[in-house]
Amino acid sequence: MNHASEEQLAALQDTLLRMSNLTFSALQRAVQALNNRDQPLAADVIAGDCAIDQLEMEVDDRVVRYMATRAPIARDSRLMLAASKIASSLERIADQATTIARNVLALAGEPSLPVPAPLPHMAALAAAMLRDAMNAFVDGTEELANTVIARDLEVDQLNHLVIATLIEQMMENRASIRGGVLLISISKALERAADHAQNIAEEVYYLYRGEDIRHR
């Protein structure tokens, strides 16, 4: 591989990692805003989404330019495909962080409703899945990618538990219904964020093993 190609690939990876860091931060800060009922922090998460959108477009632009100028084959072709799909999944995780932040703002006018105990664990799992999926991408470890995929089931189960808990609370106290619906939306956003982290892990597995496991 010539020096120019190496520079392009390094720039692509750097853009993906910057996007990943911003997305990871957005998800963590959105959950922090929920835990602390921090409206300014929630508003800051929403405002930061534009930067992540821009990075997604930058990744796609770098992929197109590399494909057009380098005519990649085999592994490099898989890398271009994976990079574009990973960027798309990161952008969608950032969108879920924005959804959480918007619901935090909406909760400000609602009667105080305790956050179900499984929800913080669910949030930590989703964030860890994202972190590990991107570490697998950087390190080329499909084994780590596989562990991310396996953890998605636990997030799904926690989501069901959170929803069941909130429905029970809403049935006992009608004044908590709107707040409960907002918390259910937050739980679903975390579940979707985990789904997208799983998608990233599947792309990493495909990149390094050449095997598509999305629908296994």
Side-chain angles (χ1 to χ4, degrees):
M1 182 182 293
N2 61 43
H3 183 65
S5 295
E6 289 178 352
E7 284 189 340
Q8 283 183 286
L9 291 176
L12 173 61
Q13 180 169 327
D14 178 69
T15 305
L16 267 175
L17 292 180
R18 284 189 288 128
M19 187 179 181
S20 171
N21 289 337
L22 284 178
T23 301
F24 184 80
S25 175
L27 187 60
Q28 286 201 311
R29 290 160 69 233
V31 173
Q32 182 184 344
L34 169 65
N35 292 335
N36 299 332
R37 294 297 196 269
D38 189 333
Q39 295 181 62
L41 181 58
D44 190 52
V45 170
I46 295 168
D49 189 58
C50 290
I52 297 171
D53 292 342
Q54 290 296 319
L55 285 172
E56 181 192 17
M57 291 188 288
E58 184 179 333
V59 168
D60 285 344
D61 181 62
R62 290 187 183 281
V63 166
V64 169
R65 278 188 284 158
Y66 190 86
M67 296 288 284
T69 59
R70 302 298 169 191
I73 58 174
R75 172 77 172 272
D76 281 356
S77 292
R78 294 204 305 271
L79 174 58
M80 294 303 106
L81 180 62
S84 184
K85 289 186 175 182
I86 289 171
S88 177
S89 292
L90 288 171
E91 190 273 335
R92 289 173 183 172
I93 293 172
D95 283 347
Q96 299 308 320
T98 298
T99 295
I100 294 168
R102 286 177 176 151
N103 280 287
V104 169
L105 293 179
L107 278 168
E110 297 302 314
S112 178
L113 185 67
V115 173
L119 200 148
H121 180 45
M122 184 181 172
L125 266 177
M129 287 173 67
L130 170 58
R131 180 198 63 217
D132 289 347
M134 291 306 298
N135 283 342
F137 169 71
V138 172
D139 298 336
T141 50
E142 64 267 21
E143 296 87 357
L144 182 57
N146 248 334
T147 69
V148 172
I149 296 166
R151 275 178 274 170
D152 186 59
L153 178 60
E154 184 178 358
V155 175
D156 291 343
Q157 292 170 338
L158 288 170
N159 179 47
H160 293 314
L161 183 57
V162 168
I163 292 173
T165 301
L166 287 167
I167 289 174
E168 184 177 348
Q169 290 176 351
M170 289 187 286
M171 291 176 66
E172 292 175 355
N173 179 11
R174 294 182 62 85
S176 70
I177 288 178
R178 187 166 186 274
V181 169
L182 292 170
L183 285 173
I184 286 174
S185 177
I186 289 172
S187 183
K188 287 183 176 179
L190 287 169
E191 189 270 334
R192 291 185 186 116
D195 283 345
H196 293 307
Q198 177 188 2
N199 291 344
I200 293 172
E202 288 170 346
E203 291 303 326
V204 171
Y205 194 92
Y206 171 71
L207 171 62
Y208 292 112
R209 289 290 295 270
E211 181 184 350
D212 191 339
I213 59 172
R214 286 175 296 175
H215 302 297
R216 68 179 178 182

